[in-house]
């Protein structure tokens, strides 16, 4: 398993010299969540998947987690892999990180794909996520995972796919109780850094969510796109937060079409 000098675990697959697509997972998950997406890309693109600090096989955060720390992690990984610029695909928390990075390093950001990621929340929704942060701090990730699975997958799919539920449940429960809630707080509080982005994000952008993604729904997706000139939106019918696992083609087809339309430098 490759590991960058800062302890970031990563995989780099695809044709040598091909345009690079960096894939950034969500809270509590790992680079393994891209297993349903990568095969649709790597005939033409080089896919760089990595574990955020405090997740998967990467080391704990070297300082208090925030979006800037995760943006710096990405910059260091690109340097280590000798990648000048890339298209960034971010899921949930990953979608927040790519927006932070696009502001910090616009010259390294060729395009963005933002999947199921938040914009400014209502007071009720913000209070709900803050309550989950407290719950995670007190009782660990296992205390939040069952409710998360209900939010992430449609009821019928969840009931019909117990093995996948066990897999995703295992990813979340593997997180360190002492660290998990500190990164959960970034998901809750980091949004102010990327709403009304300054400097503006100007690269080609595609923003996707499901019409049943109750925490990161269509209204948020349209709000994100409205702040990025020329950004396109796609609302997936009958899908929730983890559409990339429940119905991979619903994500993979528009993602691949978007990538193929970009004149992405190597």
């Amino acid at each position: 398993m490759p590991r960058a000098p800062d302890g970031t675990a990563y995989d780099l697959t695809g044709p040598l010299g091909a345009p690079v697509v960096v894939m950034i997972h969500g809270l509590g998950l790992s680079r393994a969540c891209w297993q349903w997406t990568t095969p649709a890309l790597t005939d033409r693109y080089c896919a760089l998947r990595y574990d955020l600090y405090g997740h998967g096989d990467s080391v704990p955060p070297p300082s208090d987690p925030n979006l800037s720390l995760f943006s710096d992690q990405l910059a260091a990984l690109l340097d280590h892999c000798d990648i000048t610029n890339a298209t960034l695909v971010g899921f949930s928390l990953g979608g927040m990180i790519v927006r932070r990075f696009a502001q910090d390093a616009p010259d390294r950001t060729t395009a963005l794909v933002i999947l199921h990621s938040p914009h400014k929340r209502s007071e009720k929704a913000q209070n709900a996520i803050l309550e989950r942060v407290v719950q995670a701090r007190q009782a660990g990730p296992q205390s939040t995972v069952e409710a998360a699975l209900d939010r992430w997958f449609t009821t019928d799919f969840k009931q019909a796919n117990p093995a996948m539920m066990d897999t995703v449940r295992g990813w979340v429960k593997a997180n360190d109780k002492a660290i998990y809630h500190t990164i959960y707080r970034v998901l809750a509080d980091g949004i102010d850094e990327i709403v009304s982005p300054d400097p503006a994000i100007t690269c080609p952008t595609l923003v996707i969510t499901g019409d049943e993604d109750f925490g990161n729904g269509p209204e948020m997706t349209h709000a994100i796109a409205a702040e990025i000139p020329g950004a396109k939106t796609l609302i997936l019918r009958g899908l929730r937060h983890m559409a990339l696992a429940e119905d991979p083609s619903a994500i993979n087809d528009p993602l691949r079409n978007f990538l193929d339309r970009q004149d992405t430098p190597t």
Side-chain angles (χ1 to χ4, degrees):
M1 175 189 62
R3 191 181 295 272
D6 67 353
T8 296
Y10 69 94
D11 299 312
L12 188 61
T13 55
L16 184 66
V20 176
V21 180
V22 181
M23 309 167 81
I24 307 176
H25 64 79
L27 174 75
L29 305 177
S30 74
R31 67 191 192 280
C33 80
W34 297 110
Q35 63 188 271
W36 301 282
T37 310
T38 306
L41 305 180
T42 49
D43 62 316
R44 180 174 176 181
Y45 300 97
C46 187
L48 174 58
R49 297 156 294 165
Y50 70 98
D51 292 335
L52 296 171
Y53 289 135
H55 292 77
D57 297 314
S58 287
V59 299
S63 59
D64 289 342
N66 55 42
L67 288 181
S68 292
L69 176 70
F70 290 120
S71 176
D72 291 344
Q73 180 189 17
L74 174 53
L77 181 59
L78 293 178
D79 290 344
H80 171 70
C81 295
D82 197 25
I83 296 169
T84 302
N85 49 45
T87 293
L88 310 179
V89 181
F91 170 63
S92 195
L93 174 62
M96 297 172 66
I97 294 167
V98 302
R99 281 176 274 166
R100 177 72 265 173
F101 186 84
Q103 294 177 72
D104 295 340
D107 58 322
R108 308 191 75 173
T109 309
T110 302
L112 296 180
V113 181
I114 301 167
L115 305 175
H116 304 266
S117 198
H119 194 265
K120 193 76 172 178
R121 301 181 185 90
S122 68
E123 182 178 356
K124 180 180 179 181
Q126 183 67 10
N127 287 339
I129 194 170
L130 290 173
E131 288 174 2
R132 294 198 293 274
V133 172
V134 172
Q135 183 180 3
R137 185 182 73 240
Q138 294 175 341
Q142 67 273 10
S143 68
T144 63
V145 67
E146 297 306 323
L149 292 175
D150 288 339
R151 294 192 306 273
W152 293 355
F153 295 96
T154 62
T155 302
D156 289 348
F157 183 87
K158 182 172 178 285
Q159 292 175 348
N161 293 273
M164 183 181 290
M165 297 308 108
D166 286 344
T167 296
V168 178
R169 184 183 290 112
W171 292 339
V172 176
K173 292 174 70 173
N175 285 272
D176 187 330
K177 177 183 175 183
I179 297 172
Y180 181 67
H181 72 92
T182 67
I183 303 175
Y184 213 141
R185 171 69 69 168
V186 179
L187 183 67
D189 290 347
I191 199 69
D192 288 339
E193 293 185 41
I194 51 176
V195 168
S196 302
D198 184 17
I201 297 172
T202 58
C203 63
T205 300
L206 174 64
V207 194
I208 302 177
T209 196
D211 64 352
E212 295 185 21
D213 189 332
F214 305 116
N216 310 272
E219 183 177 346
M220 287 188 174
T221 288
H222 292 311
I224 293 168
E227 296 180 341
I228 303 174
K232 306 298 184 183
T233 61
L234 176 62
I235 308 303
L236 307 176
R237 302 302 174 191
L239 290 168
R240 295 186 183 174
H241 194 55
M242 284 200 70
L244 58 84
E246 180 164 340
D247 186 358
S249 65
I251 295 292
N252 297 346
D253 292 349
L255 170 60
R256 179 60 188 258
N257 289 338
F258 176 79
L259 293 174
D260 289 349
R261 289 196 302 270
Q262 310 309 312
D263 183 17
T264 310
T266 59

